Amino acid sequence: SQKIEQNSEALNIQEGKTATLTCNYTNYSPAYLQWYRQDPGRGPVFLLLIRENEKEKRKERLKVTFDTTLKQSLFHITASQPADSATYLCALAYNQAGTALIFGKGTTLSVSS
Amino acid sequence: DAGVIQSPRHEVTEMGQEVTLRCKPISGHNSLFWYRQTMMRGLELLIYFNNNVPIDDSGMPEDRFSAKMPNASFSTLKIQPSEPRDSAVYFCASTPGLAGGELFFGEGSRLTVL
């Protein structure tokens, strides 16, 4: 069965540094991969989507890479701020039409000032 | 526009009782999903609907769980009878197209079964 691993349960960094979160998957090649942010007591909120034929996607201070050879996605937050502290979830869709997203357990990021 | 609306936000019940969770998706969204989140297992897909039809219910843990979508603006997830191991946060999400696209989540229903 499909498996998604987000390597770190928790990541602590200082304000201004770049946070890098990792998502690894096994078995199948996903059609695309998404990243979500979840704050305590709230539902996940969509951040970025990257397709299998894309290497990199950017949105403001966020950057996502997708390496289908390594079966890995990296999620970067540059110039991190305390407001970036949250849990970040990686999710995969295994085909374009009909398969629901499967989520990793998430990495909790804490940015200290 | 209102987002995905879930009720109740919190539910505390005793083992053996029936629990019904409700969801109103975003208007115009064709796909609706029920997920369950726990610390141990993370966010797990239970079932999803497309155009009110159940497409994949392989994540429904057992016969005690059932889900319906009688129309495009309403879905329920029912647990009967409930057990302490069902304690979790249950999320409903919707998306405008087919499954796999960006999901819009509700705020969740936190269920505690004593």
Side-chain angles (χ1 to χ4, degrees):
Chain A
S1 63
Q2 303 94 331
K3 190 174 180 182
I4 302 169
E5 285 186 353
Q6 294 190 244
N7 287 8
S8 302
E9 285 191 8
L11 180 65
N12 300 309
I13 64 168
Q14 281 198 314
E15 183 175 9
K17 301 292 186 185
T18 295
T20 298
L21 285 63
T22 305
C23 176
N24 294 297
Y25 59 91
T26 59
N27 293 343
Y28 294 98
S29 295
Y32 46 87
L33 185 148
Q34 301 184 24
W35 285 88
Y36 288 75
R37 169 181 172 142
Q38 186 174 24
D39 290 288
R42 308 295 299 273
V45 174
F46 172 80
L47 296 174
L48 281 168
L49 179 153
I50 185 166
R51 291 182 168 79
E52 60 181 332
N53 59 350
E54 297 175 317
K55 296 293 185 187
E56 182 179 298
K57 206 81 169 278
R58 291 175 185 261
K59 179 183 175 183
E60 298 172 354
R61 294 184 297 111
L62 309 180
K63 184 178 84 171
V64 174
T65 62
F66 195 5
D67 189 327
T68 54
T69 300
L70 292 178
K71 295 186 183 296
Q72 181 181 81
S73 174
L74 299 179
F75 176 80
H76 306 272
I77 305 175
T78 59
S80 59
Q81 305 165 1
D84 296 326
S85 298
T87 296
Y88 293 86
L89 303 168
C90 158
L92 302 179
Y94 280 90
N95 60 54
Q96 295 283 0
T99 305
L101 287 178
I102 299 171
F103 284 81
K105 289 187 179 179
T107 296
T108 298
L109 173 67
S110 297
V111 182
S112 55
S113 55
Chain B
D1 272 346
V4 174
I5 299 172
Q6 292 188 244
S7 65
R9 289 295 313 277
H10 302 275
E11 174 92 7
V12 180
T13 191
E14 293 193 345
M15 183 172 65
Q17 296 298 306
E18 178 179 294
V19 174
T20 299
L21 307 178
R22 298 172 177 80
C23 175
K24 177 178 168 55
I26 293 173
S27 177
H29 282 195
N30 295 329
S31 295
L32 181 142
F33 306 79
W34 284 99
Y35 284 88
R36 176 172 69 176
Q37 188 174 41
T38 61
M39 290 292 292
M40 287 294 294
R41 300 175 69 89
L43 201 59
E44 301 175 281
L45 175 69
L46 298 177
I47 185 171
Y48 84 89
F49 297 83
N50 182 252
N51 291 325
N52 312 337
V53 176
I55 302 299
D56 182 358
D57 65 354
S58 59
M60 295 286 264
E62 47 199 271
D63 291 346
R64 297 184 298 107
F65 285 69
S66 62
K68 293 182 180 179
M69 192 163 186
N71 57 61
S73 59
F74 185 65
S75 178
T76 59
L77 178 68
K78 187 175 291 187
I79 309 172
Q80 166 63 17
S82 58
E83 296 183 2
R85 59 190 168 125
D86 302 331
S87 298
V89 182
Y90 290 82
F91 286 102
C92 176
S94 67
T95 192
L98 294 166
E102 171 190 345
L103 292 185
F104 296 79
F105 281 85
E107 297 288 40
S109 294
R110 179 176 292 278
L111 173 64
T112 302
V113 184
L114 303 174

